[in-house]
Amino acid sequence: MGGMGSSTNMSSMMMAMMVPYLHFGPGDHLIFEAIKPSTGGAVAGAGIVLIVFAILERLVAASRRAQEVYWMRKASALKSLAASQAGIAGLAEKRFDSPVEGCDDRELRIIAPFNLKHDVIRGLYHALQALMLYALMLAVMTFQAAYIICIVAGLGIGEMLFGRIGRGVKTHASLGVLC
């Protein structure tokens, strides 16, 4: 019986610590147990940190897109250089009956070939972005309305600043075909 009472006290104490609805009050743990803004100023400081962190997440996403565009342009330049070195005689022998005009059936690719250097960097970008998004998610899960507002504002500001980077480029990758 004594064990049952202590478990009930523990669960009621846990419910007192975690507020399961949106609120503005201080005292919520932010990501780690040691980070617990307990005054209004501390909550405001945590909000500023979350805004900056959300802006940085959008910067990481933009740099990832820019890197993809750079790799695509570099591959396209190398391909056109190789085609120009092959000469016009090589073009006369090419078949142009593929679904994409100017691409030989033997060269039609759905995905880019594996490149260890590029794919390791792409994986690191993805892992960093996932880590940042999960950290933002944990802050949202506190149900602290000020944190949620700061995160949404930071993501919006970051998208406004960096959202155009690496977008709107007409490449074969954006069309779904790599030649």
Side-chain angles (χ1 to χ4, degrees):
M1 231 35 187
M4 182 107 154
S6 68
S7 111
T8 306
N9 287 339
M10 183 64 95
S11 66
S12 65
M13 205 167 104
M14 188 66 167
M15 284 303 291
M17 291 186 340
M18 186 178 140
V19 181
Y21 52 83
L22 288 176
H23 61 281
F24 280 101
D28 295 315
H29 295 282
L30 182 61
I31 300 175
F32 298 108
E33 187 177 2
I35 304 172
K36 186 177 180 180
S38 57
T39 65
V43 171
I48 291 169
V49 169
L50 287 171
I51 288 172
V52 171
F53 193 72
I55 290 171
L56 288 176
E57 188 281 326
R58 293 286 75 207
L59 176 63
V60 169
S63 64
R64 181 179 173 190
R65 287 190 309 266
Q67 192 67 42
E68 291 282 343
V69 169
Y70 171 75
W71 289 329
M72 185 59 64
R73 287 184 177 165
K74 186 176 176 182
S76 178
L78 288 174
K79 183 175 173 83
S80 65
L81 178 65
S84 69
Q85 288 176 350
I88 302 209
L91 284 176
E93 296 174 6
K94 262 191 172 181
R95 298 181 337 218
F96 290 109
D97 56 352
S98 88
V100 178
E101 188 63 31
C103 289
D104 192 354
D105 283 338
R106 294 170 290 176
E107 296 179 1
L108 187 64
R109 294 180 186 254
I110 302 301
I111 59 172
F114 182 80
N115 183 330
L116 182 64
K117 180 181 164 189
H118 295 175
D119 291 326
V120 166
I121 293 170
R122 181 183 297 114
L124 290 173
Y125 267 123
H126 183 76
L128 177 62
Q129 193 175 5
L131 177 72
M132 294 175 84
L133 287 170
Y134 281 126
L136 291 172
M137 178 196 67
L138 287 173
V140 167
M141 288 175 60
T142 64
F143 290 104
Q144 169 57 275
Y147 296 165
I148 295 170
I149 291 168
C150 289
I151 290 170
V152 169
L155 289 173
I157 292 167
E159 189 64 25
M160 216 171 31
L161 294 173
F162 308 116
R164 67 190 174 282
I165 297 173
R167 294 209 176 142
V169 179
K170 298 296 180 198
T171 62
H172 288 296
S174 66
L175 299 174
V177 176
L178 295 173
C179 289

